Amino acid sequence: MSRKHTPDDPELAGRLSRRGMLGVAAGATAATLIGTAAAAGPASATAGSATQATGKGRGRPVLPPGRLGIQLYSLRDKVSTAGFATVFAELERYGYDEIEFAGYTQGSAGPITLAQLRRLARDHGLHPIGSHVGYYDNGNPNAYTFAQNLTKVLDDAEALGLKHIGTAAGPFRYGATVDAWKRAAEDFNTYGEAARARGMKFYQHNHAEEFSFATDKPGVRLYDVLLAETDPDYVFLEMDIYWAYSAQFRFGKQVDGTPRPFDPLDYVLKRPHRYPLFHVKDGIRDDSARDGYRMVDVGDGDIDYKRFLSKVTARTHGGRRYHHWQTEHDNPAESYAFARKSSAHLHSLRERCGD
């Protein structure tokens, strides 16, 4: 979001400004508490290239210890054939600390209960940090979504010991107008309040389209409506960094051509406590592509993750253990190779203490 631009909707601008002030205050408080209480232990890397990479270079690791995860959607081919046990064993070898679910079944590997899944993750030193669940499905009242089966979704998350439960669906349930997104924000507030009552945080994961503009007010960015209309105590965000940079390319101008540049990092730095989770995926810049990037394994692209992680962890005033970083690739050429390379790259990043 451009620092010099105010949304055309004055009411929205006022609420967004207030949300920003609440975010900075709450973020500093939470980071201080977490930074004081949490001991900085080593990451759980054992064998494999991730462990070797941690010894390269000089300076402090950019990646906070114990906070590297992976979105299991990237490994869906292996989960569906080899099963969670085999996949978790590989992730443990690659130095991962956390996992984010994209479903709780393992296809041809056979049935598994939530209790077994939770225990299996623990046995491999992996902490289940979150899960993606659908938002709504108007055609199926039995759909496993927040709108149709909120209690079941939260029951399952609680059984897995999750601290975060969210959706990768965009808030387009009612359309792309300002009022439509206000209605979706109320849905999210409801889910967030219910999640908080169970000790969890509800979150929404973005794609590029969330940063597009309202169809009825072309000067209003829809993502700003989401931030302004959701309660910061109940609704959190998981920034998919790749899609945010794609949005920077696609929606840096309004429909009429008016420049509306923004930096995805600015959203996080203004409200660090609202972004407990991130998706770390990479892309090679390609202005001829619709999204402005071609997705590649983390470390093979042009997104500056040393800068991004360093800025975020510095902004939280010592709370390096507040955020969680999940690697992801929507369609990796070889999913184990992606997981291994991405972990090795992120573990290898260093910054000088004075940076």
Side-chain angles (χ1 to χ4, degrees):
M1 180 172 61
S2 171
R3 294 181 185 274
K4 298 181 180 180
H5 187 90
T6 302
D8 290 353
D9 185 330
E11 182 184 2
L12 171 63
R15 282 197 298 275
L16 192 55
S17 176
R18 177 176 177 274
R19 296 294 195 208
M21 289 187 288
L22 287 172
V24 170
T29 301
T32 300
L33 291 172
I34 294 169
T36 302
S44 62
T46 53
S49 57
T51 305
Q52 298 168 9
T54 58
K56 295 181 180 179
R58 294 182 178 180
R60 183 175 69 171
V62 171
L63 181 70
R67 284 294 182 269
L68 179 63
I70 189 167
Q71 166 51 252
L72 293 175
Y73 180 77
S74 305
L75 295 160
R76 60 193 181 277
D77 61 325
K78 300 297 194 295
V79 171
S80 65
T81 55
F84 285 110
T86 300
V87 170
F88 288 175
E90 288 297 308
L91 295 179
E92 183 180 17
R93 289 181 56 238
Y94 302 159
Y96 282 93
D97 311 294
E98 300 176 332
I99 48 175
E100 182 183 33
F101 288 106
Y104 312 133
T105 59
Q106 53 181 7
S108 61
I112 187 170
T113 67
L114 297 180
Q116 290 171 330
L117 188 53
R118 181 177 183 176
R119 185 166 57 252
L120 188 61
R122 182 193 62 204
D123 290 346
H124 288 285
L126 298 170
H127 178 56
I129 191 62
S131 180
H132 283 187
V133 177
Y135 168 19
Y136 67 95
D137 185 345
N138 288 333
N140 180 9
N142 297 315
Y144 189 76
T145 65
F146 283 96
Q148 267 68 42
N149 282 287
L150 177 61
T151 299
K152 173 62 174 171
V153 167
L154 296 181
D155 285 347
D156 290 350
E158 200 167 18
L160 285 166
L162 301 182
K163 294 301 183 184
H164 307 82
I165 180 69
T167 184
F172 290 95
R173 181 181 188 181
Y174 307 107
T177 65
V178 170
D179 283 342
W181 274 52
K182 288 180 179 180
R183 289 181 65 191
E186 282 305 307
D187 286 347
F188 286 2
N189 286 334
T190 298
Y191 310 150
E193 187 173 9
R196 179 171 175 172
R198 300 191 187 212
M200 292 180 281
K201 292 179 179 178
F202 169 82
Y203 64 95
Q204 194 267 344
H205 162 283
N206 66 273
H207 292 85
E209 287 73 19
E210 281 87 339
F211 294 89
S212 63
F213 299 96
T215 53
D216 58 334
K217 294 185 177 181
V220 175
R221 195 180 296 279
L222 288 171
Y223 197 69
D224 294 341
V225 178
L226 180 67
L227 284 168
E229 296 294 330
T230 49
D231 190 320
D233 289 332
Y234 296 146
V235 178
F236 297 84
L237 292 309
E238 176 179 62
M239 178 173 281
D240 186 304
I241 301 168
Y242 172 90
W243 287 121
Y245 277 100
S246 171
Q248 183 186 53
F249 173 81
R250 292 179 57 190
F251 304 112
K253 294 180 180 179
Q254 295 176 189
V255 176
D256 64 2
T258 302
R260 285 291 302 279
F262 72 93
D263 185 343
L265 185 57
D266 286 345
Y267 276 100
V268 181
L269 298 184
K270 289 178 180 178
R271 305 165 184 83
H273 92 290
R274 296 204 72 180
Y275 292 88
L277 305 173
F278 293 89
H279 272 193
V280 180
K281 61 175 67 165
D282 212 343
I284 295 173
R285 185 62 187 259
D286 182 356
D287 289 0
S288 68
R290 184 201 68 163
D291 296 321
Y293 291 87
R294 289 182 287 108
M295 197 176 297
V296 294
D297 294 346
V298 178
D300 290 345
D302 297 319
I303 297 177
D304 188 349
Y305 276 110
K306 178 181 175 181
R307 170 180 177 265
F308 199 100
L309 271 74
S310 297
K311 292 286 187 181
V312 172
T313 55
R315 180 65 183 84
T316 51
H317 306 293
R320 283 169 57 81
R321 293 175 65 88
Y322 179 70
H323 299 101
H324 305 264
W325 307 90
Q326 320 294 311
T327 65
E328 188 185 34
H329 191 310
D330 291 357
N331 293 290
E334 209 296 310
S335 54
Y336 279 153
F338 154 74
R340 182 177 63 252
K341 289 168 57 182
S342 300
S343 174
H345 175 71
L346 292 173
H347 276 112
S348 74
L349 296 178
R350 294 290 188 275
E351 62 180 345
R352 294 187 303 246
C353 293
D355 284 356

